[in-house]
Amino acid sequence: MRQRTFLAPTLRDVPADAEIKSHQLMLRAGLIRQTASGIYSYLPLGKKVLRKVEDIIREEMDEAGGQEVLLPAIQPAELWEESGRLHAYGPELMRLKDRHERDFVLGATHEEVITDLVRNELQSYKKLPVNLYQIQTKYRDERRPRFGVLRSREFIMKDAYSFDTSNEGLEQSYQAMYKAYQNIFTRCALNFRAVEADSGTIGGTDTHEFMVLSEIGEDTIAYSDQSDFAANIEIAPVVTTYVKSDEPLKEKELVDTVNIRTIEEVADFFKVSAAQTIKSLLFIADGEPVLVLVRGDHDVNEIKVKNVLDKDSVELASAEETARLLNCETGYIGPINLPSEITVIADHAVEAVVNGICGANEKDKHYKHVNPGRDFTATYADLRLIQEGDPSPCGKGTIQFAMGIEVGHVFKLGTKYSEALGATYLDENGKTQTMIMGCYGIGVSRTVAAIVEQHHDENGIVWPPAVAPFDLHLVTINVKDEAQKELGEQLYQTLKQLGYDVLFDDRPERAGVKFKDSDLIGLPIRIAVGKKAGEGIVEVKVRKTGEMIEAEVAKLPDVLEELRTKLG
Ligand SMILES: O=C(C[C@@H]1CCCCN1)Cn1cnc2cc(Cl)c(F)cc2c1=O
Ligand SMILES: [Mg+2]
């Protein structure tokens, strides 16, 4: 490809609203351009990388027994009505009407569509198990799109769906996908971890997220420093055991605490550590008020609260709701003298508090010498966020944190959708059975951004060869010099005949501009045709290491072959 006509508009300056390196570099190197908030156009360089990642995904999915399909982005609302999800999603699910005023949704995911297809086409156990996948654009109207294509409103996903006749079958499908994901992200040269995760709105049981380690990741991974345990902090179990002090229980006492609201203020006022205080948060779970207690030095894990209560929606009560239900403001609420309709659940750590402090459900008042069991009752569960230094739930080592970008998510769905949509088959005894499903997603466009996050330096992107938009960057330094021009043109043909995908910088630009653009675009190897063209000598540079080699043109094929083997 000749750069003179190639659409790769590079930018010298960092665009103002691009906060992270991958967003900045994908704009500056001419891979993407924003069309609207959270909506991007892929220019040729970006599209070529997308295709490389997609091809790696296809190879591994096909190898794992997947069959590629393509499902519609415009989905009849009736299917979402059948699954019960049409009204479960708010504005994030984009909706439209056709010319006949019929309702449709823009595909945020495809459980309904694929289950509808399978229920119509597969009726016998002989045709199962099956794994169908697609690589397709998804639409989710994120409230706050950010970080370029990492969190956009239109994005490319590989989504796969497996259909089995037994839980053992599902386990095999799940493991096959898990292995395929490990291969995919390894081939994309990503440093990633598979972590135990929460199945969220989709339901189902086991689920793992594939996280690319990165400081700008939005997810917190809790991992053991002495085993391969790793989990999204949302579900990482706390196994700490608490020893109750044997100090004598003192009489509960009501204390004036004017303007003393936060845990820090309370601990400071009573000259105790935060671990001596009880933090109370009022939640509304499917419309019912629930008071959640954690020790003052811990934080509530809202996903654990939701899972323990087994409710569809669990939200922190607003200040108004708190005032209405407890007749005081949030800084003074507590588990004592509660209206009877309010359930109290507490983290295990609270049970071991002796002579603690908590809000008195009265403005400017706290109780001290509070003792769980004597002064209030609660149902105890693991409700707190795990912290660095906590013992690992696997029993070996202690927990450390790392930030991650979720690029993959695999789920055991079970019969949630096949039940709702009646995807059944006749088993070997002619009995009707419900198919057992799994679903498996990869954020393809997000993976491209994650690769840039992990593969760049101060001069620009450093593409791993397997996903680079071109294999080689051939640069004629001075196109006005006959010898350089001639050799450049000749090498362009030779390298293409050797099977290399070559970006040829034949532009009448100054050397400095060409080298800056070349480092920014970041192809693995650059061949510069310069002053020694007359002697048949070119300069070969390895982008990743900066290594420079002067090579005779005749030896270039061998030099490149050697580098290709070394670079992988
Ligand atoms: O998508 C999944 C589960 C798996 C992920 C892998 C591939 C198949 N689906 C979960 N999820 C996430 N956000 C959503 C957003 C909207 Cl607006 C929606 F309507 C539905 C969903 C939704 O279902
Ligand atoms: Mg996910």
Side-chain angles (χ1 to χ4, degrees):
M1 172 59 72
R2 292 178 181 277
Q3 235 170 303
R4 203 186 282 258
T5 56
F6 186 61
L7 178 59
T10 53
L11 305 172
R12 279 285 154 269
D13 304 322
V14 173
D17 66 342
E19 303 158 69
I20 59 169
K21 288 307 284 178
S22 59
H23 187 193
Q24 294 165 5
L25 289 170
M26 290 175 78
L27 287 169
R28 287 191 51 219
L31 275 72
I32 56 172
R33 284 292 181 270
Q34 179 173 305
T35 301
S37 160
I39 295 176
Y40 288 86
S41 296
Y42 289 86
L43 303 187
L45 276 176
K47 175 60 184 165
K48 284 197 77 157
V49 177
L50 269 181
R51 191 183 12 247
K52 288 275 180 105
V53 172
E54 288 169 6
D55 287 351
I56 288 173
I57 290 173
R58 278 195 181 86
E59 278 171 28
E60 294 298 337
M61 287 299 297
D62 294 349
E63 183 60 31
Q67 297 177 55
E68 185 169 7
V69 298
L70 181 59
L71 304 173
I74 301 180
Q75 305 180 5
E78 291 80 354
L79 288 179
W80 286 66
E81 193 79 71
E82 262 191 276
S83 70
R85 289 212 286 182
L86 187 60
H87 307 296
Y89 284 90
E92 193 189 358
L93 178 60
M94 301 184 85
R95 303 154 199 263
L96 71 156
K97 283 183 183 303
D98 69 5
R99 62 193 310 168
H100 309 295
E101 289 295 301
R102 281 193 290 256
D103 291 320
F104 291 83
V105 298
L106 276 187
T109 182
H110 283 71
E111 279 79 9
E112 286 80 0
V113 171
I114 195 73
T115 306
D116 171 54
L117 176 72
V118 167
R119 74 177 166 186
N120 294 332
E121 303 307 328
L122 292 179
Q123 272 86 26
S124 159
Y125 71 99
K126 291 180 188 137
K127 302 295 283 179
L128 296 174
V130 73
N131 174 319
L132 304 172
Y133 77 92
Q134 66 166 348
I135 297 178
Q136 217 252 45
T137 306
K138 292 280 185 292
Y139 302 88
R140 293 177 183 177
D141 199 353
E142 297 279 350
R143 188 201 317 262
R144 283 187 60 240
R146 61 198 291 241
F147 290 178
V149 297
L150 266 189
R151 181 169 291 280
S152 52
R153 296 194 289 169
E154 174 182 297
F155 59 98
I156 297 165
M157 185 198 276
K158 183 286 300 175
D159 44 324
Y161 305 85
S162 61
F163 297 82
D164 277 281
T165 56
S166 68
N167 285 319
E168 296 72 25
L170 170 57
E171 178 60 28
Q172 284 167 18
S173 298
Y174 190 86
Q175 290 310 324
M177 288 289 95
Y178 190 99
K179 175 113 197 58
Y181 278 43
Q182 287 181 310
N183 296 346
I184 289 164
F185 297 124
T186 302
R187 291 178 62 185
C188 289
L190 286 167
N191 178 12
F192 69 94
R193 294 290 182 283
V195 305
E196 295 171 38
D198 178 58
S199 56
T201 56
I202 202 76
T205 55
D206 287 7
T207 170
H208 286 82
E209 283 165 336
F210 286 75
M211 295 285 189
V212 167
L213 302 186
S214 161
E215 282 312 306
I216 58 97
E218 291 183 342
D219 288 287
T220 303
I221 303 159
Y223 68 93
S224 164
D225 57 3
Q226 285 176 30
S227 78
D228 58 7
F229 170 82
N232 188 313
I233 193 172
E234 289 173 345
I235 57 113
V238 169
V239 295
T240 310
T241 49
Y242 307 95
V243 177
K244 206 173 172 107
S245 100
D246 53 9
E247 69 182 85
L249 306 193
K250 295 174 188 161
E251 264 318 291
K252 184 181 80 208
E253 206 181 306
L254 191 59
V255 179
D256 287 332
T257 51
V258 179
N259 282 336
I260 303 290
R261 290 179 178 77
T262 68
I263 290 294
E264 291 66 33
E265 289 163 349
V266 170
D268 185 36
F269 179 87
F270 286 95
K271 304 275 174 282
V272 297
S273 77
Q276 274 304 102
T277 69
I278 294 171
K279 188 191 292 182
S280 305
L281 292 104
L282 187 65
F283 281 85
I284 308 296
D286 286 358
E288 299 298 315
V290 176
L291 191 69
V292 178
L293 312 179
V294 292
R295 216 172 65 183
D297 56 327
H298 293 153
D299 293 302
V300 172
N301 180 328
E302 298 194 11
I303 302 277
K304 286 183 180 175
V305 171
K306 185 164 177 290
N307 291 340
V308 160
L309 294 173
D310 191 19
K311 299 287 183 191
D312 287 338
S313 98
V314 171
E315 305 282 329
L316 207 53
S318 66
E320 297 72 37
E321 283 167 318
T322 305
R324 181 168 49 76
L325 286 158
L326 293 175
N327 203 13
C328 84
E329 51 183 282
T330 44
Y332 297 100
I333 65 177
I336 297 171
N337 311 330
L338 272 180
S340 59
E341 85 263 19
I342 296 185
T343 322
V344 184
I345 59 173
D347 180 68
H348 291 303
V350 170
E351 195 162 18
V353 169
V354 176
N355 297 326
I357 319 276
C358 72
N361 287 324
E362 248 186 272
K363 185 162 169 39
D364 294 338
K365 298 252 193 261
H366 279 78
Y367 278 113
K368 71 177 186 180
H369 305 155
V370 171
N371 287 285
R374 183 192 72 182
D375 303 329
F376 67 86
T377 57
T379 307
Y380 289 93
D382 171 7
L383 296 176
R384 75 171 173 89
L385 278 177
I386 202 164
Q387 293 177 334
E388 288 200 293
D390 279 343
S392 168
C394 71
K396 275 194 296 182
T398 54
I399 289 296
Q400 307 295 318
F401 284 173
M403 300 312 287
I405 302 170
E406 178 195 334
V407 290
H409 200 158
V410 292
F411 299 77
K412 284 183 185 169
L413 270 184
T415 56
K416 176 171 178 179
Y417 291 89
S418 42
E419 191 91 60
L421 274 70
T424 59
Y425 64 95
L426 288 179
D427 68 12
E428 55 278 18
N429 308 318
K431 194 161 170 300
T432 301
Q433 306 284 3
T434 302
M435 296 181 195
I436 298 174
M437 292 175 65
C439 65
Y440 317 89
I442 288 180
V444 180
S445 35
R446 181 179 277 189
T447 296
V448 172
I451 292 169
V452 178
E453 277 300 324
Q454 287 196 339
H455 294 277
H456 68 265
D457 63 15
E458 65 283 358
N459 297 317
I461 302 172
V462 184
W463 288 113
V467 295
F470 291 92
D471 301 320
L472 304 174
H473 204 166
L474 173 65
V475 179
T476 298
I477 292 175
N478 177 1
V479 296
K480 294 190 181 57
D481 174 299
E482 261 322 296
Q484 291 185 33
K485 187 173 182 322
E486 181 52 39
L487 183 53
E489 290 295 333
Q490 187 194 346
L491 273 180
Y492 183 42
Q493 300 313 326
T494 310
L495 292 167
K496 279 198 292 184
Q497 276 144 24
L498 284 172
Y500 290 107
D501 192 5
V502 184
L503 180 61
F504 180 23
D505 192 346
D506 59 350
R507 297 174 299 165
E509 300 278 354
R510 283 182 296 101
V513 168
K514 292 190 167 198
F515 285 135
K516 272 205 179 312
D517 280 353
S518 176
D519 285 344
L520 181 57
I521 290 171
L523 297 177
I525 293 173
R526 174 170 78 216
I527 300 160
V529 179
K531 289 195 173 49
K532 299 195 173 175
E535 303 159 52
I537 304 264
V538 293
E539 190 183 78
V540 181
K541 180 185 174 190
V542 177
R543 177 69 181 85
K544 185 169 172 55
T545 59
E547 183 190 351
M548 298 275 240
I549 314 163
E550 281 207 342
E552 288 168 38
V553 167
K555 294 217 172 36
L556 194 53
D558 295 345
V559 168
L560 292 175
E561 216 24 60
E562 216 175 286
L563 280 175
R564 182 138 76 161
T565 319
K566 203 166 77 174
L567 287 175

